[in-house]
């Protein structure tokens, strides 16, 4: 459909004065809340100190004398009830957000909350009403291993979706909670590599404009009851001890229950990876003082936490009132959950029958339907006409399987793509299938013996034993990219993995339904040798095996165990069946070929493992090319958890459809969309880049400086943020600014009923600082019949136009022209108007006032660091010549002295230079900084200035190892 051009119109609006942009004000305490508070105080007063300390651990014991049951924080509920048996599995979180339908997401959250409540009468081990969801970490880098857990690269969209999901989980009444969700992981946690040791640099604008809003939304809306702190550091301080009292707790008047991530307290002492405190007692004391209430550590064993808290009390690091504060928060949440009510409160009646109920199955299918994104559809290749098809090929490694992820629940049933398509077509259409993977036998090139598996359902230890190839000697090889493969035994259909069955050494068994576990032990690579043989290398997640990672036959019985490369068996791979040839044969004479490719969530990326390659696995890309060459009527379905560089596929394949791993109803939902029973309405929540080369290091968190996300990226993208096609078309009218928002008429100009996601963006044309190219302000998903027009109103307020002014540390709306853009994606703007805003002009900097160094405008060669262990951010120079820019400073008649508060841990002297106009501009003065002996010991240094006058840019050039807290030019 051609893009419609709309000429800009100017609309005047009177917007004067400064603007504050906090979270929405919390409502006044209700009578029910007041009664709860009295109940909590009464209970708190009856607890002994030992009993109170016992409640600080994740596994809170029962206290029979007060009628208190045992309580546990931490039921996983990211996209369904997890780890507690079969339950409804909804699409992964990034898929739920791809629906752009907050009403639907609230229904999903409510269903998950019901299923959590469904176990309340049995109370199985590991269950509790404090649920650890949603994840609101922003998907700023598509290589992040946990991309599947988040919602979007955009903070506004993330906030809308997390609030909707959280509201469903809570039941909508903050005084009477269905469950008590918390958002995780606070703060700026988007890399798995060394995640407990890396620090995310968040200058004030990135913190206020990008990171904080994602967490604040659900908390301020009473749709979340706390946060989980992250493993990483932010500005040099571990998130486990980042001050929540001065941030998260200010976003609501409601009581919050904040928790640590699993085992994170042990990262803090001298024996841990962060070495931030000397002892666990000091660390645990700091955790409580920072506003965390519950320690997630040591599984069920509360002993170490109890001992550390008692030690902190004995040595004066804590007082009993510090313990009381945390326990008060815990009791408040438990009371609001009805945990102290004999009948369990308003939701106490919910029973196990809700789990995987027909209603929830239907909802899971609808969510999977709406999560699917049509990326490309040349020549109306889709939808397929089911009635005209006589033969369909469904091929690919994901064609007849469903995969779950670490935080999935257990699938109660599985509708695979093959099953869903076959069921939709019925007996009148022949459906052929192939996974498109090679089937091989592995023969020891020296002994001539074949690797043999077990044929029973439980499998057996693999051995080199057979002298010929039968069923037990054949393995299907699934490629997952970068040479990593899994092996599935033909004999019983189980995946091969490593385990130590008797403590006498690692062996390999064909006994797993799919790759799984914290240490994924089903991964291998083939290392090619010069003689045409290959070594089979174990590539599991364990990192303590050293060089002994090659498979060899044990002397005596031929059992496969690990050894060095020198000991390894050399194998020839005999191809019993070519996967590509079989898939091509199935597809060649079909009316259409559907190729289902994608990821395995335990392999390609996940918690602890970031992606390095953003493309399809090499074997999958080859399969797509071969099938397309054999049948031009090919549709490719990509089923994975993140953006993929489908550059070749976009250029050559007629139709591309993307879905996350969408749960039990995946196959039915896929058939719904492929055959047009459902018009696709999913939209991407991330930018899909053309190459990894478009991205900076995953450790760079400054989106503004490094041009990250759709807001700042200036290159050519594969698919823009918000992209998604439909089987119908939509025309946009001219947008019009009205009181409280923007109106635009949208018309369905096609022949099918469809849903359009109308997206509103703004762009500030002129500003003191670098502004986003576009910023999502609102959206609405509307369903229109053919020919129907609807006027869509999208809210827009003055505060939406604000940015964080680092010169005065507050929100500001600048005077000037703001573009108002409406369209179907960030890359497909259909209409625009201009809003002339009368706000304010940011005045020149007043560097005569004490200025925090972190409030710079630009920088080079510095890191943001912890000013002290408790609070505050300073700037640390990583190398000599590092600099900070403080733009547009009014030095008036002349500044005569630099005063700076500086720390220098290393020996020797350093310098701070004041330069004008550029980092190498005119030198106005130099201060000498002597060693202070500690990174936290600050001293004031001064320097006389010459020629520092008038209005100009000021640069501070720092010597290596300096930490600058504040400064002034007077």
């Amino acid at each position: 459909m051609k893009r419609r051009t709309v000429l800009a119109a100017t609309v005047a609006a009177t917007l004067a004065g400064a603007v504050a942009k906090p979270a929405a004000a919390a409502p006044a305490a209700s009578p029910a809340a007041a009664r709860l508070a009295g109940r909590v105080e009464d209970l708190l007063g009856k607890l002994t100190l030992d009993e109170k300390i016992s409640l600080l651990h994740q596994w809170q014991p029962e206290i029979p004398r007060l009628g208190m049951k045992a309580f546990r924080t931490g039921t996983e509920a990211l996209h369904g009830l997890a780890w507690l048996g079969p339950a409804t599995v909804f699409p992964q979180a990034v898929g739920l957000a791809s629906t752009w339908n907050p009403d639907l997401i609230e229904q999903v959250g409510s269903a998950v909350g019901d299923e959590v409540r469904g176990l309340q009468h049995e109370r199985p081990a590991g269950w509790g009403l404090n649920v650890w969801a949603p994840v609101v970490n922003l998907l700023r880098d598509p290589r992040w291993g946990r991309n599947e857990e988040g919602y979007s690269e955009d903070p506004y969209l993330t906030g809308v979706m997390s609030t909707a999901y959280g509201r469903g989980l809570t039941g909508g009444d903050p005084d009477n909670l269905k469950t008590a969700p918390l958002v995780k992981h606070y703060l700026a946690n988007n890399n798995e590599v060394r995640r407990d040791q890396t620090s995310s640099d968040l200058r004030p604008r990135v913190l206020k404009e990008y990171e904080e809003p994602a967490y604040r939304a659900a908390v301020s809306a009473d749709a979340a009851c706390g946060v989980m702190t992250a493993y990483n550091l932010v500005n040099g301080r571990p998130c486990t001890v980042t001050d929540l009292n001065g941030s998260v707790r200010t976003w609501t008047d409601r009581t919050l229950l904040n928790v640590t991530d699993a085992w994170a307290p042990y990262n803090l002492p001298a024996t841990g990876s962060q070495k931030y405190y000397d002892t666990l007692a000091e660390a645990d004391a700091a955790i409580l003082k920072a506003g965390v209430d519950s320690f997630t550590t040591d599984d069920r064993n509360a002993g170490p936490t109890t001992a550390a808290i008692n030690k902190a009390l004995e040595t004066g690091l804590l007082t009993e009132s510090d313990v009381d504060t945390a326990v008060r928060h815990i009791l408040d949440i438990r009371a609001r959950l009805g945990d102290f009510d004999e009948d369990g409160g308003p939701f106490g009646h919910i029973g196990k029958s809700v789990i995987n109920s027909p209603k929830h199955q239907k909802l899971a299918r609808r969510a999977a339907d709406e999560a699917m994104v049509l990326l490309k559809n040349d020549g109306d290749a889709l939808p397929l006409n089911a009635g005209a098809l006589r033969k369909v090929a469904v091929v690919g490694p994901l064609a007849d399987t469903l995969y779950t992820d670490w935080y999935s629940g257990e699938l109660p049933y599985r509708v695979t793509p093959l099953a869903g398509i076959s069921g939709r077509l019925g007996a009148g259409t022949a459906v052929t299938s192939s996974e498109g993977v090679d089937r091989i036998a592995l023969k020891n090139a020296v002994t001539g013996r074949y690797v043999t598996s077990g044929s029973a359902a439980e499998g057996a230890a693999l051995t080199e034993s057979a002298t010929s190839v039968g069923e037990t000697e054949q393995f299907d090889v699934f490629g997952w990219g970068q040479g990593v493969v899994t092996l599935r035994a033909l004999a019983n259909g189980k995946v091969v993995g490593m385990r130590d069955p008797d403590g006498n050494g690692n062996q390999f068994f064909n006994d797993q339904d799919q790759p799984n576990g914290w240490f994924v032990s089903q991964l291998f690579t083939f290392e090619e040798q010069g003689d045409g043989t290959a070594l089979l290398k174990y590539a599991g997640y364990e990192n303590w095996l050293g060089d002994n990672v090659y498979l060899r036959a044990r002397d005596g019985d031929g059992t496969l165990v690990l050894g060095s490369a020198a000991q390894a068996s050399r194998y020839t791979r005999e191809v019993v069946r070519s996967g590509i040839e079989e898939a091509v044969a199935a597809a060649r004479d079909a009316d259409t070929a559907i190729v289902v490719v994608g990821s395995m969530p335990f392999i390609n990326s996940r918690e602890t493992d970031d992606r390095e390659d953003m493309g399809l696995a090499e074997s999958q890309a080859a399969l797509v090319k071969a099938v397309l060459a054999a049948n031009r009527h090919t549709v490719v379905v990509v089923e994975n958890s993140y953006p993929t560089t489908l550059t070749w596929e976009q250029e050559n394949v007629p139709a591309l459809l993307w879905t996350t791993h969408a749960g039990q109803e995946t196959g039915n939902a896929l058939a719904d969309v492929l055959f047009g029973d459902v018009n696709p309405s999913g939209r991407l929540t991330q930018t899909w880049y053309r190459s990894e080369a478009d991205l900076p290091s995953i450790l760079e968190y400054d989106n503004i400086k490094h041009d990250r996300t759709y807001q700042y990226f200036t290159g050519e993208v594969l698919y823009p943020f918000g992209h998604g096609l439909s089987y119908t078309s939509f025309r946009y009218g001219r947008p019009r600014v009205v009181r409280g928002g923007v109106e635009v008429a949208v018309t369905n100009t096609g022949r099918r009923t469809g849903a359009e996601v109308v997206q509103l963006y703004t762009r500030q044309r002129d500003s003191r600082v670098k502004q986003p190219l576009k910023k999502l302000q609102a959206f609405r998903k509307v369903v229109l019949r053919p020919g129907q027009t609807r006027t869509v109103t999208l809210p827009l307020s003055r505060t939406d136009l604000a940015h964080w002014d680092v010169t005065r540390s507050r929100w500001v709306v600048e005077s000037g022209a703001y573009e108002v853009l409406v369209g179907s994606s960030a890359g497909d703007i259909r209409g625009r108007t201009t809003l002339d805003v009368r706000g304010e002009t940011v005045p020149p900097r007043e560097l005569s006032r004490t200025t925090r160094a972190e409030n710079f405008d630009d920088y080079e060669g510095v890191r943001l660091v912890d000013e002290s262990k408790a609070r505050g951010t300073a700037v640390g120079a990583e190398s000599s010549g590092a600099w900070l820019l403080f733009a547009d400073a009014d030095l008036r008649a002349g500044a005569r002295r630099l005063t700076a508060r500086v720390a220098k841990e290393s020996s020797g002297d350093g310098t701070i230079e004041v330069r004008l106009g550029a980092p190498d501009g005119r030198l106005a003065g130099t201060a000498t900084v002597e060693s202070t002996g500690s990174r936290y010991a600050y001293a004031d240094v001064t320097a006389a200035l010459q020629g520092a006058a008038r209005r100009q840019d000021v640069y501070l050039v720092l010597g290596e190892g300096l930490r600058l807290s504040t400064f002034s030019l007077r």
Side-chain angles (χ1 to χ4, degrees), residues 78-210:
L78 181 61
H79 55 111
L81 172 64
W83 302 4
L84 293 169
T88 310
V89 178
F90 295 93
Q92 291 175 311
V94 69
L96 291 175
S98 298
T99 68
W100 289 63
N101 188 342
D103 291 338
L104 173 61
I105 301 314
E106 183 172 344
Q107 292 176 48
V108 172
S110 181
V112 176
D114 285 346
E115 297 203 6
V116 173
R117 277 281 181 175
L119 295 177
Q120 65 187 329
H121 303 294
E122 296 182 4
R123 303 174 71 88
W127 170 87
L129 290 174
N130 170 233
V131 296
W132 288 355
V135 171
V136 299
N137 296 97
L138 291 161
L139 307 183
R140 63 179 185 90
D141 193 309
R143 297 168 296 187
W144 183 38
R146 304 182 75 168
N147 196 86
E148 66 198 30
E149 298 182 38
Y151 290 125
S152 173
E153 69 184 36
D154 181 76
Y156 171 75
L157 181 58
T158 294
V160 171
M161 292 302 172
S162 60
T163 299
Y165 192 70
R167 187 176 291 117
L169 286 168
T170 65
D173 179 358
D175 292 326
N176 295 285
L177 298 170
K178 182 187 296 184
T179 68
L182 56 76
V183 294
K184 57 180 188 177
H185 312 78
Y186 187 82
L187 172 73
N189 174 204
N190 288 124
N191 60 277
E192 297 304 292
V193 56
R194 304 190 315 277
R195 62 179 178 169
D196 58 331
Q197 300 172 55
T198 58
S199 180
S200 307
D201 282 14
L202 298 183
R203 56 167 159 156
R205 280 195 66 200
V206 177
L207 173 66
K208 295 294 185 180
E209 296 175 23
Y210 188 70

Side-chain angles (χ1 to χ4, degrees), residues 880 904 906-912 927-932 959-962:
S880 182
K904 187 174 187 294
S906 58
S907 61
D909 292 345
T911 61
I912 302 176
T928 299
V929 181
E930 298 177 350
S931 172
T932 63
E960 183 176 3
L962 297 188

Side-chain angles (χ1 to χ4, degrees), residues 451-455 460-463 471-475 489-492 510:
V451 174
T452 301
S453 66
S455 58
L462 269 60
T463 60
E471 268 200 359
T472 54
E473 287 68 50
Q474 297 180 49
F475 299 88
L490 175 63
N492 67 351
N510 58 311

Side-chain angles (χ1 to χ4, degrees), residues 462-536:
L462 269 60
T463 60
E464 289 182 12
S465 55
T467 56
S468 61
V469 176
E471 268 200 359
T472 54
E473 287 68 50
Q474 297 180 49
F475 299 88
D476 294 328
V477 183
F478 290 79
W480 300 110
Q482 299 181 286
V484 173
V485 302
T486 53
L487 303 174
R488 187 183 64 196
L490 175 63
N492 67 351
K494 297 293 182 70
V495 176
V496 174
M498 183 185 76
R499 59 184 175 90
D500 183 2
D502 52 17
N504 295 321
N506 294 313
Q507 300 176 34
F508 294 86
F509 292 76
N510 58 311
D511 63 352
Q512 297 297 307
D513 290 328
Q514 70 171 53
N516 61 82
W518 185 254
F519 296 106
V520 184
S521 62
Q522 295 85 23
L523 310 182
F524 303 90
T525 59
F526 286 104
E527 285 194 1
E528 306 296 337
Q529 305 299 298
D531 60 359
T533 64
L535 308 185
L536 187 55

Side-chain angles (χ1 to χ4, degrees), residues 199-201 233-238 276 863-866 936 963:
S199 180
S200 307
D201 282 14
L233 300 86
V234 167
N235 297 348
R237 182 178 298 105
Y276 207 66
R863 296 295 307 270
L864 292 170
V865 295
D866 50 336
Y936 302 121
R963 286 185 166 212

Side-chain angles (χ1 to χ4, degrees), residues 814-890:
E814 292 180 286
S815 293
Y818 293 73
E819 286 186 75
V820 178
L821 314 166
V822 294
S824 60
S825 79
D828 187 5
I829 299 303
R830 307 291 188 85
R832 65 185 69 215
T833 188
T834 301
L835 184 64
D836 285 341
V837 174
R838 189 182 308 157
E840 59 180 307
T841 299
V842 177
R845 278 187 180 269
E846 291 280 355
L847 295 183
S848 60
R849 297 194 295 251
T850 298
T851 300
R852 296 205 60 82
E854 66 178 309
N855 285 326
F856 50 73
D857 289 297
D858 199 4
Y859 60 96
E860 195 65 55
V862 302
R863 296 295 307 270
L864 292 170
V865 295
D866 50 336
E867 185 176 8
S868 72
K869 289 187 176 181
R871 60 187 53 84
T873 296
V875 177
E878 291 197 296
S879 59
S880 182
W883 54 263
L884 302 173
L885 165 63
F886 297 87
D888 190 28
D890 187 357

Side-chain angles (χ1 to χ4, degrees), residues 26-37 174-175 222 253-255:
S30 66
R35 287 193 298 273
L36 274 171
D175 292 326
D222 293 330
D253 288 340
R254 295 282 180 181
T255 296

Side-chain angles (χ1 to χ4, degrees), residues 554-707:
R554 190 167 61 191
D555 293 340
D557 61 2
T559 299
L560 291 187
V561 294
L562 289 178
S564 66
Q567 298 171 311
S569 296
R570 288 178 174 251
Y571 293 111
T572 58
R573 284 166 290 181
E574 297 179 2
V575 178
V576 179
R577 182 198 70 193
S578 166
I580 285 182
E581 289 180 4
E582 183 184 68
V584 165
R588 182 175 289 115
D589 61 347
D591 297 322
T592 191
I594 301 167
V595 187
V596 190
V597 293
S599 70
M600 202 287 141
F602 279 86
I603 297 175
N604 293 104
S605 72
R606 55 157 283 181
E607 188 170 358
T608 74
D609 187 38
D610 295 317
R611 282 194 300 164
E612 296 177 6
D613 186 340
M614 290 168 56
L616 285 177
E618 300 86 349
S619 58
Q620 296 184 16
L623 175 66
V624 169
K625 290 177 181 178
V627 172
L628 181 63
N631 189 331
R632 64 187 180 89
H633 299 293
T634 292
V635 174
V636 172
V637 177
V638 181
E639 185 180 337
N640 64 21
S641 313
Y642 35 71
T644 306
T645 51
L646 301 173
T647 308
W648 186 93
E649 292 77 10
Q650 170 62 23
E651 292 174 354
N652 294 278
V653 176
L656 292 169
L657 185 67
W658 175 79
T659 178
T660 58
H661 296 280
Q664 62 207 53
E665 287 286 342
T666 298
N668 283 332
L670 179 59
D672 288 340
V673 172
L674 288 174
F675 297 106
D677 301 323
V678 167
N679 194 339
S681 63
R683 301 292 185 266
L684 299 179
T685 67
Q686 294 175 265
T687 302
W688 284 40
Y689 300 94
R690 303 185 72 86
S691 168
E692 299 89 30
D694 291 331
L695 296 166
S697 164
I698 197 171
L699 300 178
E700 293 285 5
Y701 278 76
D702 189 343
N703 292 356
I704 300 172
K705 187 174 182 69
H706 295 283
D707 295 333

